Amino acid sequence: RKEVEQDPGPFNVPEGATVAFNCTYSNSASQSFFWYRQDCRKEPKLLMSVYSSGNEDGRFTAQLNRASQYISLLIRDSKLSDSATYLCVVNGGNSGYALNFGKGTSLLVTP
Amino acid sequence: GAVVSQHPSRVICKSGTSVKIECRSLDFQATTMFWYRQFPKKSLMLMATSNEGSKATYEQGVEKDKFLINHASLTLSTLTVTSAHPEDSSFYICSAPSITGKNYGYTFGSGTRLTVV
């Protein structure tokens, strides 16, 4: 079983839509959780950290459920520029504090 | 904020040759550097962890004699792909833990796209 699993998508949504991504992780010893964004052929960029208390940054809301080992990302009022691959990332556990990446969920926002 | 400069960004080499990839932390000291590899439509996979002044730790299945890692200073870590083959063609990217203000995070290099022909 992969350490971090995501629905690969793709998600094709119209501008203005709300879209939700889900992620599960297998190692209960994991300590830190992130959502990264990766544009085609580029390095990942941190979108936001994920806390048990939830984390909101503008149109983006991330939540963590440690009991279920589940992480979510909600994007409201989607913009064309949100089109990218969203990576669920977990650290701690087997690899110490190296990051374990999900395969990514592809989002395409259309006009 | 913290910046990791990675070079080259793109390299094409012939089979059997070696390629060196450099990652430099520009405004912070990177005692640890993580090296990842990403094949098309796949997730980033950790290859190895380098620590300044000590031997790198390789993930299972990664040949340490093929992927030579050197972390001789607090600001420079290098990955050398030796005797490269077409199956080594991939996107290689480094990442270092960093602190920006109150935030602890990870700074990525811009990646190196290696094509072996």
Side-chain angles (χ1 to χ4, degrees), chain B:
Chain B
V3 175
V4 172
S5 175
Q6 183 171 349
H7 293 282
S9 58
R10 184 183 298 270
V11 59
I12 301 173
C13 71
K14 292 185 179 180
S15 283
T17 60
S18 295
V19 174
K20 179 186 280 189
I21 301 170
E22 291 189 350
C23 281
R24 292 182 184 273
S25 56
L26 297 186
D27 48 6
F28 69 103
Q29 293 182 333
T31 55
T32 298
M33 190 73 74
F34 301 110
W35 287 93
Y36 293 87
R37 178 169 55 181
Q38 185 177 34
F39 292 105
K41 299 188 184 300
K42 301 290 186 182
S43 60
L44 279 82
M45 296 299 295
L46 181 67
M47 298 175 65
T49 302
S50 72
N51 294 291
E52 186 267 336
S54 63
K55 290 185 178 180
T57 303
Y58 289 82
E59 296 300 301
Q60 191 173 8
V62 178
E63 299 175 57
K64 62 180 181 180
D65 294 330
K66 180 170 182 62
F67 298 98
L68 301 179
I69 289 176
N70 185 287
H71 196 149
S73 78
L74 290 171
T75 58
L76 176 63
S77 178
T78 63
L79 167 68
T80 301
V81 182
T82 62
S83 187
H85 289 100
E87 57 265 31
D88 298 324
S89 299
S90 187
F91 185 60
Y92 293 84
I93 191 164
C94 59
S95 175
S98 60
I99 298 175
T100 303
K102 297 180 181 179
N103 298 314
Y104 174 85
Y106 296 80
T107 300
F108 284 85
S110 54
T112 297
R113 193 159 299 281
L114 171 63
T115 303
V116 184
V117 297

Side-chain angles (χ1 to χ4, degrees), chain A residues 6-110:
Chain A
Q6 297 179 245
D7 179 348
F11 284 65
N12 293 337
V13 303
E15 262 187 299
T18 296
V19 61
F21 302 142
N22 302 318
C23 168
T24 58
Y25 60 97
S26 61
N27 194 327
S28 59
S30 299
Q31 300 162 4
S32 302
F33 310 89
F34 311 90
W35 283 101
Y36 275 75
R37 169 190 170 134
Q38 186 175 26
D39 292 286
C40 187
R41 305 174 80 85
K42 300 284 188 182
E43 76 275 22
K45 292 187 185 296
L46 179 65
L47 180 64
M48 60 198 311
S49 301
V50 189
Y51 308 116
S52 297
S53 56
N55 189 19
E56 184 173 323
D57 184 3
R59 298 181 294 110
F60 300 86
T61 301
Q63 293 195 314
L64 166 67
N65 184 321
R66 284 188 181 266
S68 304
Q69 295 177 202
Y70 171 89
I71 306 164
S72 66
L73 176 67
L74 184 75
I75 305 176
R76 292 180 297 277
D77 189 22
S78 299
K79 311 292 184 189
L80 296 177
S81 56
D82 293 334
S83 298
T85 297
Y86 290 83
L87 306 173
C88 178
V89 185
V90 173
N91 87 333
N94 294 340
S95 296
Y97 57 102
L99 297 176
N100 290 312
F101 289 82
K103 195 174 176 180
T105 299
S106 176
L107 172 66
L108 177 63
V109 181
T110 56

